[in-house]
Amino acid sequence: MIELRNVSKWFGDFQVLNDCSTKVAKGEVVVVCGPSGSGKSTLIKCVNGLEPFQKGSIEVDGTSVGAKDTNLPELRSHIGMVFQNFELFPHIKVIGNITLAQLKVLQRDEKQAGEKAHALLERVGLLDQADKYPAQLSGGQQQRVAIARALAMDPIAMLFDEPTSALDPEMINEVLDVMVELANDGMTMMVVTHEMGFARKVADRVIFMDEGRIEEDCTKDDFFGTPRGARAQVFLSKILQH
Amino acid sequence: MNYNWDWGVLLQEPYFDWLVSGFSWTITVSLVAWVLAFSLGSIVGILRTTDSKFLRAIGTGYVEFFRNIPLLVQMFLWYFVFPELLPESAGMWVKRGMPMPEFTTAAICLGLYTASRVGEQVRAGILAVGIGQRNAGLAMGLTPAQVYRFVLVPVSYRIIIPPLTSEFLTIFKNSSLALTIGVLELTAQARQIEEYTFQGFEAFTAATLLYICVTSIVMLIMRVVEGKAAIPGMISLGAK
Ligand SMILES: Nc1ncnc2c1ncn2[C@@H]1O[C@H](COP(=O)(O)OP(=O)(O)OP(=O)(O)O)[C@@H](O)[C@H]1O
Ligand SMILES: [Mg+2]
């Protein structure tokens, strides 16, 4: 479904991604972790072309992301993305956030889009918030709306960039629960997160990044079970402490 | 000081008509210039936030050019120098042929100048909305143009209502410079009344009050607009 081959990227002289290769098969859940600044966000943004890369190739569902003639908006409309800071559009109501791209990109009509939005709001437990503005919701609620917004496009895969790290601790679980459910429904997911509980529960594979490199890329059991490279060990011991 | 106060002079003909006519020219120059400044400024500001180096350079060039030459100099350049640079017949048309040459030149000059300032506000507003919102729009499959249309512009223009209001008030006050190329707007008419009647204090007091009146009304209206445009639950985008 998603395949990265030898992807390298530079910001000026600084190399953020160094020869990264990995695959996410259909229905697979892959967790990406690693220290701050290791390039996780950059990597995941390369997958839907939000960040250009200079070397290597990325294919999503058979389409090359980096190719000049790729219709990026069309490709992105099939890949959902959820951000650390939710990024709901503040000037439109929750319902409008979920219908916007359905109307403008998928050309669904108001009725279809509205029904879809309501169904998804029900799924994330926020049906009663449809007519509020994003700033009137809690962080956890906003992030669940953001997930509903992405799902409204019927994506073939979902990308998450630290979806819970801007949340107060008591709200983390309501978002993770939605994500676990999604994973159990068979969604293809690439998730940047430090929530190792989530990784343990639903991940098929774990990728560990450091200084722009994919240092570990293995099954969940291998990652948590057998001793890994020194850097991954240090990282794991740090985040598993709390 | 031995000054003969005579407020009645303001109500006499033709001086009252002069004030009214001067006031309407001031309003007309300001409004025409504002329409130009707002439209062109929006384009310039948006260009400066696009991905394309080329488009950004055009926007930056525009702003640097118009912002760095004093407005009065620009007024003279457009009125006295620009027509001479054109082929003779075109130059003649700009000087005499086109409808109301002084007014047109003044409004365009003021509009082009203020567009550079509006452009800066628009750019700042869009940057304040942030890369995250842009990415969120793009990630769901909106085209860059759609992201501007449905997200960046509606949010950023709400943020910049206060600075845009102040740009409008500036255009209104700057419109008095149009008198230097012969537009008989409010300040020019006040001066003319002074010359004819020697009642300069009354004339300029009347002009001052009219300016203050308009700026106060504009500020009141814009406060209502700002309230209406406010996004429920949001205190400020900066707090995000
Ligand atoms: N637009 C940019 N220009 C220059 N450098 C950048 C840019 N974006 C990111 N970087 C740098 O690239 C490196 C990787 O950034 P990235 O955001 O991918 O890290 P991350 O692993 O997601 O970190 P975090 O856990 O803090 O989110 C960092 O050193 C960062 O400073
Ligand atoms: Mg990151």
Side-chain angles (χ1 to χ4, degrees):
Chain A
M1 171 77 65
I2 300 173
E3 182 164 6
L4 291 81
R5 278 190 222 100
N6 311 102
V7 174
S8 292
K9 174 180 172 71
W10 288 261
F11 282 118
D13 290 338
F14 174 67
Q15 185 162 11
V16 236
L17 296 180
N18 190 342
D19 203 28
C20 297
S21 301
T22 190
K23 264 189 198 178
V24 183
K26 190 166 187 307
E28 218 176 6
V29 177
V30 173
V31 161
V32 181
C33 60
S36 179
S38 56
K40 307 175 301 286
S41 300
T42 309
L43 184 79
I44 204 166
K45 282 187 212 151
C46 284
V47 172
N48 64 354
L50 285 179
E51 289 282 359
F53 49 92
Q54 285 84 28
K55 259 192 171 168
S57 69
I58 299 179
E59 267 188 25
V60 177
D61 202 27
T63 308
S64 165
V65 178
K68 278 225 156 52
D69 56 350
T70 298
N71 182 346
L72 274 180
E74 143 78 16
L75 178 67
R76 288 173 183 145
S77 70
H78 305 299
I79 312 171
M81 185 156 193
V82 175
F83 301 85
Q84 181 170 358
N85 293 314
F86 331 132
E87 303 299 350
L88 296 178
F89 305 136
H91 62 303
I92 37 188
K93 291 179 178 168
V94 163
I95 184 83
N97 265 278
I98 306 179
T99 54
L100 179 69
Q102 296 190 65
L103 299 170
K104 304 300 173 190
V105 178
L106 302 181
Q107 317 294 341
R108 290 184 182 147
D109 61 35
E110 290 273 356
K111 187 163 164 286
Q112 276 177 308
E115 279 168 6
K116 180 97 194 171
H118 281 114
L120 285 165
L121 279 175
E122 181 154 28
R123 178 163 167 191
V124 299
L126 292 171
L127 198 48
D128 49 339
Q129 310 290 331
D131 288 318
K132 288 201 180 159
Y133 284 86
Q136 296 171 319
L137 304 185
S138 74
Q141 291 173 323
Q142 290 190 48
Q143 194 61 299
R144 284 186 280 154
V145 172
I147 294 174
R149 177 173 78 172
L151 292 175
M153 305 297 284
D154 294 319
I156 55 172
M158 289 278 288
L159 309 174
F160 293 82
D161 188 4
E162 304 208 35
T164 57
S165 50
L167 295 175
D168 292 337
E170 74 271 19
M171 295 175 188
I172 291 179
N173 279 327
E174 65 187 59
V175 172
L176 288 180
D177 288 348
V178 172
M179 291 170 60
V180 167
E181 203 182 298
L182 202 56
N184 291 336
D185 285 352
M187 176 61 78
T188 308
M189 294 163 71
M190 201 167 166
V191 186
V192 176
T193 184
H194 292 162
E195 292 295 334
M196 288 300 131
F198 172 81
R200 280 216 161 90
K201 211 182 279 175
V202 294
D204 295 296
R205 284 196 357 261
V206 179
I207 290 174
F208 173 76
M209 287 188 74
D210 194 31
E211 293 179 357
R213 267 178 218 282
I214 293 185
E215 294 283 351
E216 309 280 347
D217 182 351
C218 53
T219 65
K220 164 180 64 179
D221 294 337
D222 279 351
F223 188 77
F224 292 113
T226 50
R228 311 306 308 172
R231 284 172 181 277
Q233 284 300 346
V234 173
F235 175 76
L236 264 178
S237 67
K238 270 191 197 145
I239 59 167
L240 290 180
Q241 266 167 12
H242 36 246
Chain B
M1 192 177 81
N2 203 352
Y3 186 81
N4 242 337
W5 289 95
D6 179 11
W7 292 99
V9 75
L10 296 176
L11 297 175
Q12 283 165 23
E13 292 309 331
Y15 310 123
F16 182 73
D17 283 354
W18 289 2
L19 275 182
V20 171
S21 139
F23 183 65
S24 6
W25 279 115
T26 289
I27 298 281
T28 319
V29 170
S30 308
L31 286 182
V32 172
W34 179 250
V35 170
L36 179 61
F38 185 78
S39 334
L40 190 60
S42 299
I43 296 171
V44 168
I46 288 172
L47 286 185
R48 294 195 72 186
T49 63
T50 56
D51 275 343
S52 150
K53 261 200 180 125
F54 176 68
L55 295 179
R56 283 205 307 268
I58 295 181
T60 309
Y62 183 95
V63 169
E64 292 307 328
F65 183 80
F66 282 96
R67 208 176 44 172
N68 291 330
I69 303 174
L71 180 54
L72 186 58
V73 174
Q74 293 191 31
M75 205 59 95
F76 289 158
L77 285 177
W78 285 117
Y79 193 63
F80 297 112
V81 179
F82 174 67
E84 308 301 331
L85 301 178
L86 297 173
E88 201 173 324
S89 59
M92 267 330 254
W93 185 81
V94 169
K95 275 193 278 191
R96 308 233 184 87
M98 71 180 183
M100 303 179 285
E102 296 84 9
F103 163 79
T104 311
T105 306
I108 290 179
C109 168
L110 196 52
L112 293 179
Y113 168 75
T114 312
S116 68
R117 305 177 49 108
V118 170
E120 281 302 90
Q121 304 297 354
V122 169
R123 180 176 80 112
I126 290 174
L127 293 183
V129 174
I131 187 81
Q133 290 275 301
R134 188 192 296 256
N135 279 343
L138 292 174
M140 58 179 65
L142 297 175
T143 62
Q146 285 176 319
V147 173
Y148 276 98
R149 164 72 185 78
F150 298 115
V151 182
L152 298 178
V153 167
V155 181
S156 61
Y157 276 69
R158 283 175 165 90
I159 310 177
I160 60 170
I161 289 175
L164 283 187
T165 305
S166 108
E167 288 305 333
F168 177 78
L169 297 179
T170 306
I171 241 186
F172 177 67
K173 288 174 277 185
N174 278 342
S175 70
S176 60
L177 284 180
L179 74 85
T180 58
I181 60 169
V183 179
L184 289 177
E185 46 65 72
L186 186 54
T187 307
Q189 292 289 16
R191 211 167 61 169
Q192 192 168 315
I193 295 175
E194 204 268 342
E195 280 163 9
Y196 275 71
T197 64
F198 304 106
Q199 305 297 137
F201 281 103
E202 291 85 342
F204 282 107
T205 306
T208 306
L209 289 179
L210 283 169
Y211 280 117
I212 292 176
C213 224
V214 172
T215 45
S216 312
I217 291 172
V218 170
M219 284 198 298
L220 278 179
I221 294 176
M222 290 317 288
R223 206 161 292 162
V224 174
V225 170
E226 203 183 345
K228 285 243 177 336
I231 298 166
M234 202 159 75
I235 297 155
S236 94
L237 265 182
K240 199 171 64 171

